[in-house]
Coordinates of all heavy atoms in Angstrom, one line a residue:
I72 N -34.0 67.8 71.2 CA -32.9 67.5 70.3 C -31.8 68.5 70.2 O -30.6 68.3 70.2 CB -33.5 67.2 68.9 CG1 -34.3 65.9 68.9 CG2 -32.3 67.0 67.9 CD1 -34.9 65.6 67.5
H73 N -32.2 69.8 70.2 CA -31.3 70.8 70.3 C -30.6 71.0 71.5 O -29.4 71.3 71.5 CB -32.1 72.2 70.0 CG -31.2 73.4 70.1 ND1 -30.3 73.7 69.1 CD2 -31.1 74.3 71.1 CE1 -29.7 74.9 69.5 NE2 -30.1 75.3 70.7
H74 N -31.2 70.6 72.6 CA -30.7 70.9 74.0 C -29.7 69.7 74.3 O -28.7 70.0 75.0 CB -31.7 71.0 75.0 CG -31.2 71.2 76.4 ND1 -30.9 70.2 77.3 CD2 -31.0 72.4 77.1 CE1 -30.5 70.7 78.5 NE2 -30.5 72.1 78.3
E75 N -30.1 68.5 73.9 CA -29.2 67.4 74.3 C -28.1 67.0 73.3 O -28.4 66.6 72.1 CB -30.2 66.1 74.5 CG -31.2 66.4 75.6 CD -30.5 66.3 77.0 OE1 -29.7 65.4 77.3 OE2 -30.7 67.3 77.7
P76 N -26.8 67.2 73.7 CA -25.7 66.8 72.7 C -25.7 65.4 72.2 O -25.3 65.1 71.1 CB -24.5 67.1 73.5 CG -24.9 68.1 74.6 CD -26.4 67.7 75.0
N77 N -26.2 64.4 73.0 CA -26.2 62.9 72.7 C -27.2 62.7 71.6 O -27.2 61.6 71.1 CB -26.4 62.1 73.9 CG -27.7 62.5 74.6 OD1 -28.1 63.5 74.8 ND2 -28.6 61.4 74.8
L78 N -28.1 63.7 71.4 CA -29.1 63.5 70.3 C -28.7 64.1 69.1 O -29.5 64.1 68.1 CB -30.5 64.0 70.7 CG -31.2 63.4 71.9 CD1 -32.5 63.9 72.3 CD2 -31.2 61.8 71.8
H79 N -27.6 64.7 68.9 CA -27.0 65.2 67.7 C -26.4 64.2 66.8 O -25.3 64.1 66.4 CB -25.9 66.3 68.1 CG -26.5 67.5 68.8 ND1 -25.7 68.5 69.3 CD2 -27.8 67.8 69.2 CE1 -26.5 69.4 69.9 NE2 -27.8 68.9 69.8
Q80 N -27.3 63.2 66.5 CA -27.1 62.1 65.6 C -28.0 62.2 64.4 O -29.1 62.7 64.5 CB -27.1 60.8 66.3 CG -26.3 60.7 67.6 CD -26.6 59.5 68.4 OE1 -27.0 58.4 67.9 NE2 -26.6 59.5 69.8
P81 N -27.6 61.5 63.3 CA -28.5 61.5 62.1 C -29.9 61.1 62.4 O -30.9 61.7 61.8 CB -27.7 60.5 61.2 CG -26.3 60.7 61.5 CD -26.3 60.9 63.0
M82 N -30.1 59.9 63.2 CA -31.5 59.5 63.3 C -32.4 60.6 64.0 O -33.5 60.8 63.6 CB -31.5 58.3 64.2 CG -32.9 57.6 64.4 SD -32.9 56.1 65.4 CE -32.8 56.7 67.1
Y83 N -31.7 61.3 65.0 CA -32.6 62.2 65.6 C -32.6 63.6 64.8 O -33.6 64.4 65.0 CB -32.1 62.5 67.1 CG -32.1 61.3 67.9 CD1 -30.8 60.5 68.3 CD2 -33.3 60.8 68.4 CE1 -30.9 59.4 69.0 CE2 -33.2 59.7 69.1 CZ -32.1 58.9 69.4 OH -32.2 57.8 70.2
Q84 N -31.7 63.8 64.0 CA -31.8 65.0 63.1 C -32.9 64.8 62.1 O -33.6 65.8 61.8 CB -30.4 65.2 62.4 CG -29.3 65.7 63.3 CD -27.9 65.7 62.7 OE1 -27.7 65.0 61.6 NE2 -27.0 66.4 63.3
F85 N -33.0 63.6 61.6 CA -34.1 63.3 60.7 C -35.5 63.4 61.5 O -36.5 63.9 61.0 CB -34.0 61.9 60.1 CG -33.0 61.7 59.1 CD1 -31.9 60.7 59.1 CD2 -32.9 62.6 58.0 CE1 -31.0 60.6 58.1 CE2 -32.0 62.5 57.1 CZ -31.0 61.5 57.0
L86 N -35.4 63.0 62.7 CA -36.7 63.1 63.5 C -37.0 64.6 63.8 O -38.2 65.0 63.9 CB -36.4 62.5 64.9 CG -37.7 62.4 65.8 CD1 -38.8 61.8 65.2 CD2 -37.3 61.7 67.1
G87 N -36.0 65.4 63.9 CA -36.2 66.8 64.1 C -36.8 67.5 62.8 O -37.8 68.3 62.8
I88 N -36.4 67.1 61.6 CA -36.9 67.6 60.4 C -38.4 67.0 60.3 O -39.3 67.8 59.8 CB -36.0 67.1 59.3 CG1 -34.7 67.7 59.2 CG2 -36.7 67.5 57.9 CD1 -34.6 69.2 59.3
L89 N -38.6 65.8 60.7 CA -40.0 65.2 60.7 C -40.9 66.1 61.6 O -42.0 66.4 61.2 CB -40.0 63.8 61.1 CG -41.3 63.1 61.1 CD1 -41.8 62.9 59.7 CD2 -41.2 61.7 61.7
A90 N -40.4 66.6 62.7 CA -41.2 67.4 63.5 C -41.6 68.8 62.9 O -42.7 69.2 63.0 CB -40.4 67.6 64.9
V91 N -40.6 69.3 62.2 CA -40.9 70.6 61.5 C -41.9 70.3 60.4 O -42.8 71.2 60.2 CB -39.5 71.1 60.9 CG1 -39.9 72.3 60.0 CG2 -38.6 71.5 61.9
V92 N -41.8 69.2 59.7 CA -42.8 68.9 58.6 C -44.1 68.7 59.2 O -45.1 69.1 58.7 CB -42.4 67.7 57.8 CG1 -43.3 67.2 56.9 CG2 -41.0 68.0 57.0
D93 N -44.2 68.0 60.3 CA -45.5 67.6 61.0 C -46.2 69.0 61.4 O -47.4 69.1 61.3 CB -45.3 66.8 62.1 CG -45.1 65.4 61.8 OD1 -45.5 64.9 60.6 OD2 -44.5 64.6 62.6
I94 N -45.4 69.9 62.0 CA -46.0 71.1 62.3 C -46.6 71.9 61.2 O -47.7 72.5 61.2 CB -45.0 72.1 63.1 CG1 -44.6 71.5 64.5 CG2 -45.4 73.5 63.3 CD1 -43.5 72.1 65.2
G95 N -45.8 71.9 60.1 CA -46.2 72.7 58.9 C -47.4 71.9 58.3 O -48.4 72.6 57.9
L96 N -47.6 70.5 58.3 CA -48.6 69.9 57.6 C -49.9 70.1 58.5 O -51.0 70.4 57.9 CB -48.2 68.4 57.7 CG -49.4 67.4 57.2 CD1 -49.8 67.7 55.8 CD2 -49.0 66.0 57.4
A97 N -49.8 70.1 59.9 CA -50.9 70.3 60.7 C -51.4 71.7 60.6 O -52.7 71.8 60.5 CB -50.7 69.8 62.2
T98 N -50.6 72.7 60.6 CA -50.9 74.1 60.6 C -51.7 74.4 59.3 O -52.6 75.3 59.2 CB -49.7 75.0 60.9 OG1 -49.1 74.6 62.1 CG2 -50.1 76.5 60.8
T99 N -51.1 73.9 58.2 CA -51.6 74.3 56.9 C -53.1 74.0 56.8 O -53.8 74.8 56.1 CB -50.9 73.4 55.8 OG1 -49.5 73.6 55.7 CG2 -51.4 73.6 54.4
S100 N -53.6 73.0 57.3 CA -55.0 72.6 57.2 C -55.8 72.9 58.5 O -57.0 73.4 58.4 CB -55.2 71.1 56.8 OG -54.5 70.9 55.6
M101 N -55.3 72.7 59.6 CA -56.1 72.8 60.8 C -56.7 74.1 61.2 O -57.8 74.3 61.7 CB -55.3 72.1 62.0 CG -55.3 70.6 61.9 SD -56.8 69.7 61.7 CE -57.7 70.3 63.1
L102 N -55.9 75.2 60.9 CA -56.3 76.5 61.2 C -57.6 76.9 60.4 O -58.6 77.5 60.9 CB -55.2 77.5 60.9 CG -54.0 77.5 61.8 CD1 -53.0 78.5 61.5 CD2 -54.3 77.6 63.2
K103 N -57.6 76.5 59.2 CA -58.8 76.7 58.3 C -60.0 75.9 58.8 O -61.1 76.3 58.8 CB -58.5 76.6 57.0 CG -59.7 76.9 56.0 CD -60.1 78.3 56.1 CE -61.3 78.7 55.3 NZ -61.7 80.1 55.4
I104 N -59.7 74.6 59.1 CA -60.7 73.6 59.5 C -61.4 74.1 60.8 O -62.7 74.1 60.9 CB -60.1 72.3 59.7 CG1 -59.7 71.6 58.4 CG2 -61.2 71.3 60.4 CD1 -58.9 70.4 58.4
L105 N -60.7 74.6 61.7 CA -61.2 75.0 63.0 C -62.0 76.4 62.8 O -63.0 76.6 63.5 CB -60.0 75.3 64.1 CG -59.4 74.0 64.5 CD1 -58.2 74.3 65.5 CD2 -60.4 73.1 65.2
A106 N -61.6 77.2 61.8 CA -62.1 78.4 61.6 C -63.6 78.1 61.0 O -64.6 78.8 61.3 CB -61.4 79.3 60.6
I107 N -63.7 77.1 60.2 CA -65.0 76.6 59.6 C -65.8 76.1 60.7 O -67.1 76.4 60.8 CB -64.7 75.6 58.5 CG1 -64.0 76.2 57.3 CG2 -66.1 75.0 58.1 CD1 -63.6 75.1 56.3
L108 N -65.3 75.3 61.6 CA -66.1 74.6 62.6 C -66.6 75.6 63.7 O -67.7 75.5 64.2 CB -65.3 73.4 63.1 CG -65.0 72.3 62.2 CD1 -64.3 71.2 62.9 CD2 -66.2 71.7 61.5
W109 N -65.7 76.5 64.0 CA -66.0 77.4 65.2 C -66.7 78.7 64.7 O -67.6 79.3 65.4 CB -64.7 77.8 65.9 CG -64.2 76.7 66.8 CD1 -64.9 75.5 67.0 CD2 -62.9 76.6 67.3 NE1 -64.0 74.8 67.9 CE2 -62.8 75.3 68.0 CE3 -61.8 77.4 67.3 CZ2 -61.7 75.0 68.7 CZ3 -60.6 77.0 67.9 CH2 -60.6 75.7 68.7
F110 N -66.3 79.3 63.5 CA -66.7 80.6 63.1 C -67.5 80.7 61.8 O -67.8 81.7 61.3 CB -65.5 81.6 63.1 CG -64.6 81.7 64.3 CD1 -63.3 81.1 64.3 CD2 -65.1 82.1 65.6 CE1 -62.4 81.1 65.4 CE2 -64.3 82.1 66.6 CZ -63.0 81.7 66.6
D111 N -67.8 79.4 61.2 CA -68.5 79.3 60.0 C -67.8 80.2 59.0 O -68.4 80.7 58.0 CB -69.9 79.8 60.2 CG -70.8 79.2 59.2 OD1 -70.6 78.1 58.7 OD2 -71.8 79.9 58.7
S112 N -66.4 80.2 59.0 CA -65.6 80.9 58.0 C -65.4 80.0 56.8 O -64.3 79.5 56.7 CB -64.3 81.4 58.6 OG -63.5 82.1 57.7
K113 N -66.3 79.8 55.9 CA -66.3 78.8 54.8 C -65.6 79.4 53.6 O -65.1 78.6 52.8 CB -67.7 78.3 54.5 CG -68.3 77.6 55.7 CD -69.8 77.1 55.4 CE -70.4 76.4 56.5 NZ -71.7 75.8 56.1
A114 N -65.6 80.6 53.4 CA -65.0 81.2 52.2 C -63.5 81.1 52.1 O -62.8 81.4 53.1 CB -65.4 82.7 52.0
I115 N -62.9 80.8 51.0 CA -61.5 80.8 50.8 C -61.3 81.2 49.4 O -61.8 80.7 48.4 CB -60.9 79.4 51.1 CG1 -59.4 79.5 51.0 CG2 -61.6 78.3 50.2 CD1 -58.7 78.2 51.4
S116 N -60.4 82.3 49.2 CA -60.0 82.8 47.8 C -59.3 81.6 47.1 O -58.7 80.8 47.6 CB -59.1 84.0 48.0 OG -57.9 83.7 48.4
L117 N -59.3 81.9 45.7 CA -58.7 80.9 44.9 C -57.2 80.8 45.0 O -56.6 79.8 45.2 CB -58.9 81.3 43.4 CG -60.2 80.7 42.8 CD1 -61.4 81.1 43.4 CD2 -60.2 81.0 41.2
P118 N -56.5 82.0 45.3 CA -55.1 81.8 45.5 C -54.8 81.2 46.8 O -53.8 80.3 47.0 CB -54.5 83.4 45.6 CG -55.5 84.1 44.8 CD -56.7 83.4 44.9
E119 N -55.5 81.4 48.0 CA -55.4 80.7 49.2 C -55.6 79.3 49.1 O -55.0 78.4 49.6 CB -56.3 81.3 50.3 CG -55.9 82.8 50.7 CD -56.9 83.4 51.7 OE1 -58.1 82.8 51.6 OE2 -56.5 84.3 52.3
C120 N -56.6 78.9 48.3 CA -57.0 77.5 48.1 C -55.8 76.8 47.3 O -55.5 75.7 47.7 CB -58.3 77.4 47.3 SG -59.0 75.7 47.2
F121 N -55.4 77.4 46.2 CA -54.3 76.7 45.5 C -52.9 76.7 46.3 O -52.2 75.6 46.2 CB -54.0 77.5 44.2 CG -55.2 77.5 43.3 CD1 -55.6 78.7 42.6 CD2 -56.0 76.4 43.1 CE1 -56.6 78.8 41.7 CE2 -57.1 76.4 42.3 CZ -57.4 77.6 41.6

Side-chain angles (χ1 to χ4, degrees):
I72 292 174
H73 175 74
H74 183 270
E75 294 293 306
N77 63 311
L78 297 183
H79 296 174
Q80 304 173 31
M82 184 177 79
Y83 299 108
Q84 290 171 340
F85 286 130
L86 182 59
I88 298 300
L89 181 64
V91 173
V92 172
D93 282 339
I94 291 173
L96 178 61
T98 301
T99 295
S100 301
M101 286 308 301
L102 292 181
K103 184 59 181 179
I104 291 173
L105 294 176
I107 293 171
L108 298 180
W109 286 347
F110 309 112
D111 203 34
S112 178
K113 297 180 178 180
I115 183 170
S116 67
L117 268 65
E119 289 174 340
C120 190
F121 298 139

